[in-house]
């Protein structure tokens, strides 16, 4: 199994920055005032139109919108075609050139707005779609207890977890700069070992299952346990063998649980879709709880980044990855990320970020639209890392190395 498959394989060419990176991706607020939301109130605020005038304006809108959609479809088809061409070149070990990318920015709609119907129909009543709850740390702990009769070993303090992570990351080959700056970006520079996306900086509702310094999703944890499991079991077994007394008993128990979890992660095909399906079950939540353990958690956090470093090396990229480059691979998947990382600076200045998106993901991402070249996207990532690296959590992690 190629190492890049540990990252988001189903979207390896879709730059959809995860909600774990909510400090970077900011969506515009939507109005919620019920006084302006109904068709009747919208009509009252607009200048009244005759039916004939409305139909004329509607035709103008439809013509403009149709012309835009035609241009946009052609653009995004070209993006997909260029991507297929780059993939084919890589398979044949042919160098990628500037003309292997679409070098223009996506078209934007600048025509008239859709006019307000002077005789609006009442909207069809639809039952509200129930929102599927996102499991939080308490749910993970409960699942681990119910399905594996086990509870992750919490650190005595936050700094203890940071020290454990720093020791393992450094020994595995990550640099302090990579670890600290990625942490600064992913958690905003203040996150604890159990920080969850959405439940930080005053947030009250989880927006994804991303947890920890490097914001592992449940599917990430399952992927890592399936693909790196034997290595993790071996390392934990060695630690257990070096222990004695109650510590040895606890470690032996943890090794036994980890073996069961690895076997469960490997009970489905080694494919992202299968792991994603498993992640949506209480048993999958139980596996995700391992990221909270003082011994196994630092291993999982490290390997989430280390696989990208190793992937780059196997592809012949020997220069150390900057933290921003590593984060691009961490966020977008190794294949897409390496496409940006291996690009010379002169090309980064010219290649639009749209080359690494599908249309829907791009149009929902104001950061990629605003910072619309590879160079600009890497620069805003670096800037965010710079500002967050001075915050208490980042300074504490830095001092742990």
């Amino acid at each position: 199994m190629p190492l890049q498959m540990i990252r988001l394989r189903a979207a390896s060419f879709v730059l959809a920055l995860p909600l774990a990176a909510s400090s970077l991706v900011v969506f515009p607020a939507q109005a919620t005032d019920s006084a302006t939301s109904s068709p009747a109130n919208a009509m009252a605020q607009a200048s009244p139109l005759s039916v004939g005038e409305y139909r004329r304006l509607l035709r103008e809108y439809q013509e403009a919108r149709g012309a835009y959609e035609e241009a946009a479809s052609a653009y995004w088809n070209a993006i997909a075609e260029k991507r297929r061409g780059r993939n084919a070149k890589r398979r044949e070990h042919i160098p990628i050139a500037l003309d292997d990318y679409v070098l223009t920015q996506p078209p934007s709609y600048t025509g008239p707005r859709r006019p307000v119907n002077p005789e609006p129909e009442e909207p069809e009543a639809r039952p509200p779609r129930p929102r599927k709850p996102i499991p939080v740390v308490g749910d993970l702990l409960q699942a681990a207890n119910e399905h594996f009769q086990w509870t992750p070993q919490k650190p005595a303090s936050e700094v203890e977890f940071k020290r454990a992570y720093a020791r393992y990351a450094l020994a595995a080959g990550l640099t302090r700069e990579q670890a600290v700056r990625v942490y600064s970006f992913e958690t905003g520079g203040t996150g604890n070992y159990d920080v969850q996306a959405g439940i930080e900086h005053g947030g009250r509702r989880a927006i994804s299952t991303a947890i920890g310094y490097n914001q592992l999703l449940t599917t990430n944890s399952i992927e890592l346990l399936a693909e790196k499991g034997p290595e993790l079991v071996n390392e934990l077994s060695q630690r257990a063998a070096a222990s004695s007394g109650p510590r040895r008993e606890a470690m032996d128990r943890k090794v036994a649980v980890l073996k069961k979890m690895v076997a469960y992660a490997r009970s489905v095909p080694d494919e992202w879709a299968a792991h994603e399906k498993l992640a949506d079950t209480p048993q999958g939540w139980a596996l995700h709880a391992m990221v909270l353990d003082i011994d196994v958690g630092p291993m999982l956090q490290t390997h989430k980044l280390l696989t990208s470093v190793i992937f780059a090396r196997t592809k012949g990229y020997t220069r150390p990855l900057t933290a921003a480059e590593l984060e691009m691979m961490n966020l977008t998947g190794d294949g897409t990320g390496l496409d940006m990382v291996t690009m010379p600076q002169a090309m980064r200045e010219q290649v639009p970020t749209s080359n690494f998106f599908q249309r829907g993901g791009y149009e929902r991402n104001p950061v990629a639209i605003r910072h619309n070249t590879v160079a600009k996207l890497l620069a805003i990532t670096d800037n965010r890392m710079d500002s967050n690296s001075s915050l208490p959590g980042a300074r504490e992690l830095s001092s742990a190395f």
Side-chain angles (χ1 to χ4, degrees):
M1 171 57 59
L3 290 169
Q4 68 269 33
M5 293 306 188
I6 291 179
R7 280 298 297 154
L8 301 183
R9 295 179 291 189
S12 62
F13 290 101
V14 183
L15 177 54
L17 301 184
L19 291 176
S22 55
S23 60
L24 177 63
V25 182
V26 180
F27 294 91
Q30 296 181 353
T32 57
D33 187 350
S34 60
T36 62
S37 60
S38 71
N41 284 316
M43 177 181 168
Q45 294 182 32
S47 299
L49 294 173
S50 68
V51 172
E53 180 72 0
Y54 165 72
R55 289 174 178 170
R56 181 184 68 81
L57 294 175
L58 181 61
R59 283 195 300 272
E60 291 178 357
Y61 164 77
Q62 289 172 335
E63 289 173 1
R65 192 76 196 182
Y68 162 73
E69 287 297 334
E70 184 177 351
S73 294
Y75 180 88
W76 290 103
N77 286 339
I79 288 285
E81 184 62 29
K82 290 285 189 179
R83 183 181 301 133
R84 286 191 288 269
R86 293 196 303 275
N87 291 342
K89 277 192 167 186
R90 288 193 184 91
R91 286 193 294 270
E92 298 298 325
H93 305 287
I94 300 173
I96 306 298
L98 190 61
D99 61 4
D100 290 312
Y101 300 90
V102 174
L103 300 179
T104 57
Q105 295 294 338
S108 57
Y109 180 70
T110 58
R113 294 184 179 182
R114 187 183 187 96
V116 177
N117 190 343
E119 297 178 335
E121 298 179 0
E122 287 296 324
E124 181 181 352
R126 295 181 180 179
R129 176 183 290 182
R131 175 182 290 172
K132 191 171 185 178
I134 295 173
V136 295
V137 168
D139 299 315
L140 307 185
L141 297 176
Q142 181 178 345
N145 183 57
E146 289 181 358
H147 294 281
F148 292 91
Q149 296 75 52
W150 179 78
T151 300
Q153 181 185 346
K154 295 182 178 180
S157 64
E158 178 61 27
V159 71
E160 181 186 19
F161 200 98
K162 284 188 169 72
R163 287 170 179 163
Y165 173 54
R167 285 194 302 269
Y168 190 85
L170 200 59
L174 293 180
T175 68
R176 175 169 63 178
E177 179 186 21
Q178 289 170 331
V180 173
R181 289 175 69 80
V182 169
Y183 162 89
S184 299
F185 180 85
E186 291 280 2
T187 74
T190 59
N192 291 342
Y193 78 99
D194 58 353
V195 64
Q196 184 167 357
I199 311 179
E200 79 271 344
H201 311 128
R204 297 182 179 180
R205 183 176 65 84
I207 57 177
S208 82
T209 61
I211 290 177
Y213 299 160
N214 299 328
Q215 292 288 276
L216 276 73
L217 296 165
T218 306
T219 313
N220 293 135
S221 294
I222 292 170
E223 288 262 277
L224 288 164
L225 288 172
E227 298 180 7
K228 306 297 292 185
E231 180 180 333
L232 302 182
V233 168
N234 182 57
E235 292 186 37
L236 197 64
S237 298
Q238 291 180 20
R239 294 190 195 181
S243 305
S244 60
R247 166 71 173 167
R248 175 63 184 267
E249 294 178 6
M251 288 293 288
D252 285 342
R253 166 66 177 150
K254 191 180 299 187
V255 169
V257 170
L258 181 59
K259 286 180 178 179
K260 291 180 180 178
M261 289 187 171
V262 169
Y264 192 77
R266 293 181 146 207
S267 67
V268 299
D270 192 10
E271 301 169 353
W272 177 263
H275 292 151
E276 190 172 36
K277 185 176 180 180
L278 186 60
D280 199 26
T281 67
Q283 292 91 334
W285 303 352
L287 270 60
H288 194 33
M290 266 295 181
V291 79
L292 304 170
D293 183 78
I294 183 63
D295 292 304
V296 182
M299 296 180 184
L300 295 174
Q301 296 282 355
T302 295
H303 282 288
K304 184 166 185 274
L305 300 183
L306 191 62
T307 51
S308 295
V309 173
I310 295 172
F311 176 77
R313 289 175 186 164
T314 63
K315 295 299 182 179
Y317 192 77
T318 57
R319 182 179 64 78
L321 294 169
T322 69
E325 291 171 342
L326 179 56
E327 182 60 27
M328 284 300 103
M329 297 181 70
N330 185 40
L331 288 175
T332 69
D334 291 333
T336 300
L338 192 64
D339 194 354
M340 289 187 275
V341 166
T342 55
M343 202 179 287
Q345 183 62 30
M347 287 177 62
R348 291 181 181 183
E349 300 285 350
Q350 300 179 66
V351 175
T353 55
S354 53
N355 284 275
F356 310 98
F357 281 80
Q358 289 182 356
R359 180 179 177 180
Y362 182 85
E363 292 177 346
R364 292 192 301 269
N365 195 326
V367 173
I369 294 172
R370 190 178 311 119
H371 306 280
N372 58 9
T373 65
V374 172
K376 291 178 180 178
L377 187 60
L378 285 166
I380 189 60
T381 303
D382 254 330
N383 290 342
R384 191 57 53 89
M385 289 176 170
D386 287 342
S387 61
N388 291 345
S389 291
S390 63
L391 296 178
R395 292 201 307 270
E396 187 175 67
L397 180 57
S398 181
S399 66
F401 276 83

